[in-house]
Amino acid sequence: MRREQGLQRLRRVFPLQQRIGALAPPARAAYIAILSQWVRGGRGRAPKAPATVLQTLAAMDAIVIGHDGIGCYPFSARNTGIAVLLNGRQVYAMCAIDALAIPALMRQAGQIATTCAVCGRPLTLGTDSEGNATEMTTQAEVVWHDRQTHLACCGESLCPNIRFVCRSCATAPDAMRFTVVDAAAIGGAFFAFQRELLTAS
Ligand SMILES: [Zn+2]
């Protein structure tokens, strides 16, 4: 139940799939181009698309344009402190749930390297190529602080509130806590539409 509630909540506060589904063809094509760059191992450079299309995608928070490149959920162009290692390559995830979704999206086993949001201790987790958590899952959990913010971009408002913590570290009483297995299932379901988009393109 916790898993279902988490997924519903994430889709409500950040209806990414719905927004992408409503895009006009040129914007959808640009979105797929940026996403597939990340999935194929690139770094989120601007595709051959009019600037207005990129602005549209950024305005609806489907992508995040920054100094380090173009982030595309679940991939962050800037260092968020949540690294995912896949086959010798490192990418950053927007948040803890996103990190758990990246290996399945890239169809590779992944190692997540981050620190506890409470005590700062290093945490490492493994997932297989289908996104199932495989290692160290009993030592870490995912915390979601439901803080109200008025920042438009999910990467700046929602994402910093969804982090890994040690299972033994206490968090605010109103914060939601998920097991790594449940958080991985939430991430897998939330981003499943991207795999379909990439397969269809
Ligand atoms: Zn800790």
Side-chain angles (χ1 to χ4, degrees):
M1 205 55 202
R2 197 107 179 94
R3 191 184 283 193
E4 269 307 301
Q5 284 166 351
L7 179 59
Q8 280 172 19
R9 192 179 193 103
L10 188 58
R11 283 180 169 153
R12 190 170 65 245
V13 297
F14 186 44
L16 181 64
Q17 181 175 358
Q18 208 174 315
R19 289 174 188 170
I20 300 306
L23 286 174
R28 178 193 296 253
Y31 177 77
I32 292 172
I34 295 166
L35 178 63
S36 63
Q37 272 180 20
W38 277 107
V39 170
R40 286 199 314 259
R43 284 264 322 152
R45 284 180 297 278
K48 290 193 183 77
T52 51
V53 166
L54 295 182
Q55 282 159 14
T56 301
L57 291 173
M60 65 165 51
D61 199 21
I63 61 172
V64 179
I65 301 172
H67 296 299
D68 302 319
I70 300 179
C72 184
Y73 301 89
F75 302 96
S76 174
R78 68 177 184 86
N79 182 345
T80 55
I82 305 178
V84 187
L85 299 154
L86 306 113
N87 213 2
R89 182 170 158 256
Q90 176 177 285
V91 294
Y92 292 105
M94 293 278 194
C95 74
I97 288 174
D98 288 22
L100 290 162
I102 285 175
L105 195 55
M106 300 181 74
R107 299 180 192 277
Q108 289 176 35
Q111 284 272 330
I112 297 167
T114 186
T115 52
C116 169
V118 176
C119 73
R121 190 201 305 171
L123 293 171
T124 40
L125 301 97
T127 65
D128 67 18
S129 60
E130 285 303 309
N132 303 300
T134 52
E135 295 166 42
M136 305 287 283
T137 55
T138 54
Q139 292 183 35
E141 285 188 349
V142 171
V143 65
W144 182 350
H145 289 283
D146 195 15
R147 299 188 185 108
Q148 292 297 316
T149 72
H150 300 286
L151 293 166
C153 166
C154 170
E156 289 169 7
S157 58
L158 178 66
C159 295
N161 294 330
I162 303 178
R163 315 296 297 185
F164 290 101
V165 288
C166 308
R167 201 172 177 190
S168 54
C169 275
T171 45
D174 60 339
M176 289 171 283
R177 296 274 290 242
F178 298 97
T179 65
V180 167
V181 171
D182 278 353
I186 291 168
F190 183 83
F191 289 105
F193 79 96
Q194 291 186 335
R195 274 168 69 146
E196 288 161 28
L197 270 186
L198 293 171
T199 307
S201 67

